[in-house]
Amino acid sequence: MERIQNGGPKANGFATRKKLKGIDQLAWHKISYKALFGLLFLTPALVQYGLGLPFWCYPIAVAVLLVPIFGTFMVVFNRMCVAENGTKSTNVKRFIAFNDPCLASKYANRKIPMIVLYEAYADGKLDFRCDVLEALENREQFCTFELTFYHIKFLLCNFIPEVIFHSKNQDAEQVCDHYDRGNDFYRGFLGPTMIYTSGVCRDESETLEELQFNKLKMVGEKCQLKEGERHLDIGCGWGTLVNYAAENHGTYSTGVTLAKRQIEWGEAVASEKKLGSRSKFMCMDYRDIPSAKYDKITCLEMAEHVGIRKFQSFLAQVRDMLEDDGIFFLQIAGLRRTWQWEDFIWGLFMAKYIFPGADASCPLGWVVTELERAGFEVHTSVTIGVHYSLTINGWYDNWMKPETQAAMTAKYGRIVRIWNIFLAWSTIIARQGNSTCSQLVCHKNLNVYDRLKLFKVKSK
């Protein structure tokens, strides 16, 4: 496998133009939706009839049995698909070194379910015989994407309650637990720019930092940031975009995040650059942002955390804060509609360990519909999933440096190995489209809006 200049694995195939590895399991196409809906609505009727319950109990029976029936159906259908692709393999020990005798015996000649693989790796019960990313590029040889009843339990007990509630306390707990872990932890893979969103690649020889500055420049151009304008960045992270806009465009930029350590980082950089009142940060829930008008509003990969149920109210809030002639720039990641089993397994892994509560990671069509419902017109939409793959590959290269691994493991323990899997697997996921990322330039859908001023942006 070829290596890129900084020593990491060349997994993406952009330079070599070689055919990429992978097996398509078109579950969305093979599944019988008629059988699924038949079971969802006929089973409760049979249960009601069998127990002699009155007719008005039917909606209750549907509600009670919905998740168990759906879960059982999906697990059974999944196992059929897994069996179709084969579970026997003599290649497991080629990629995996077992530290647990029980696991070694169980999976000597059988592929390992992905959930077992990453949990056992995190616990130190197995290791990869090669680079983690290189191993996962060959994952079809030694693992399967089996949906288990643990996944159904997680869906029922964790994911669905998060989708339903998305309270301020819930969001604060999840965000702070994740982003207040330690700035050294994030610098370990993000590098000096401290940007936790997709960059934009202009040339394959560019560094991670160049990818991120390409993105910052692009955001400024697409938003047409001008000196003296009021700019709000919702979910500002470590404040790099806020400080960049203030320094390079002369805006009065305000960043909002729930994580105190991110605020501390952003304010320290603003102080170092002597940005004064042009750069401001607020540590609060997006729902508590003081009512004010902004010429430009940006939101880069935070809206996923708003949640499906709250998404429309979030967009209404953005619309209220945006000047009638303003621009709203939204960068958002989401799963594809044409799902495969790996999409499910990766998504549930991310929901548990990486981005809990990010249930608004939906297909692009859903996002556009929600924007239009909220009174926005989508001027441009660009998919940058392949750029995200290159960005995450850069993060992975930083994270896997021996000195970084040693320092992070000594301080943070098990979560470091989870991050090894996350960054390696997500490099592949973004490249092959299981999850992608889109940039949308939006404005209020008003008759009087001067759409001609966006023509230059549209032509790029």
Side-chain angles (χ1 to χ4, degrees), residues 105-124:
S105 175
K106 186 173 182 179
Y107 297 107
N109 296 299
R110 185 197 184 283
K111 295 179 182 178
I112 311 173
M114 193 64 179
I115 185 173
V116 175
L117 180 75
Y118 65 69
E119 293 289 355
Y121 175 74
D123 292 334

Side-chain angles (χ1 to χ4, degrees), residues 44 60 69 86 94 96 141-142 144 160 173 177 193 204 244 252 280 285 290 296 321 348 381 403 406 411 433 453:
I60 299 174
I69 295 171
R94 177 186 166 194
I96 303 296
Q141 296 187 43
F142 61 86
T144 62
I160 290 178
E173 182 180 342
D177 177 67
T193 59
E204 63 190 44
Y244 177 88
Y252 289 92
K280 176 184 175 183
D285 189 281
K296 308 292 165 61
M321 291 189 295
L348 291 169
S381 171
E403 61 272 23
K411 184 173 180 179
K453 70 180 181 181

Side-chain angles (χ1 to χ4, degrees), residues 58-176:
Y58 177 73
I60 299 174
V62 171
V64 171
L65 295 174
L66 180 66
V67 172
I69 295 171
F70 174 77
T72 303
F73 177 87
M74 293 298 284
V75 168
V76 171
F77 179 65
N78 168 263
R79 295 301 170 84
M80 292 168 60
C81 292
V82 169
E84 185 179 299
N85 285 280
T87 59
K88 300 294 182 182
S89 175
T90 57
N91 290 321
V92 176
K93 290 186 178 180
R94 177 186 166 194
F95 295 96
I96 303 296
F98 290 100
N99 303 320
D100 184 308
C102 293
L103 281 176
S105 175
K106 186 173 182 179
Y107 297 107
N109 296 299
R110 185 197 184 283
K111 295 179 182 178
I112 311 173
M114 193 64 179
I115 185 173
V116 175
L117 180 75
Y118 65 69
E119 293 289 355
Y121 175 74
D123 292 334
K125 294 181 179 180
L126 62 81
D127 284 293
F128 295 103
R129 294 187 183 277
C130 56
D131 178 85
V132 180
L133 179 50
E134 185 176 346
L136 291 185
E137 283 285 6
N138 295 278
R139 62 202 179 285
E140 74 280 354
Q141 296 187 43
F142 61 86
C143 80
T144 62
F145 301 113
E146 293 182 29
L147 196 62
T148 68
F149 281 101
Y150 171 80
H151 288 119
I152 304 304
K153 178 184 175 183
F154 180 82
L155 192 71
L156 179 61
C157 301
N158 298 87
F159 188 78
I160 290 178
E162 290 172 356
V163 171
I164 294 172
F165 295 110
H166 264 292
S167 66
K168 291 182 181 180
N169 288 338
Q170 171 192 313
D171 289 354
E173 182 180 342
Q174 290 175 336
V175 168
C176 293

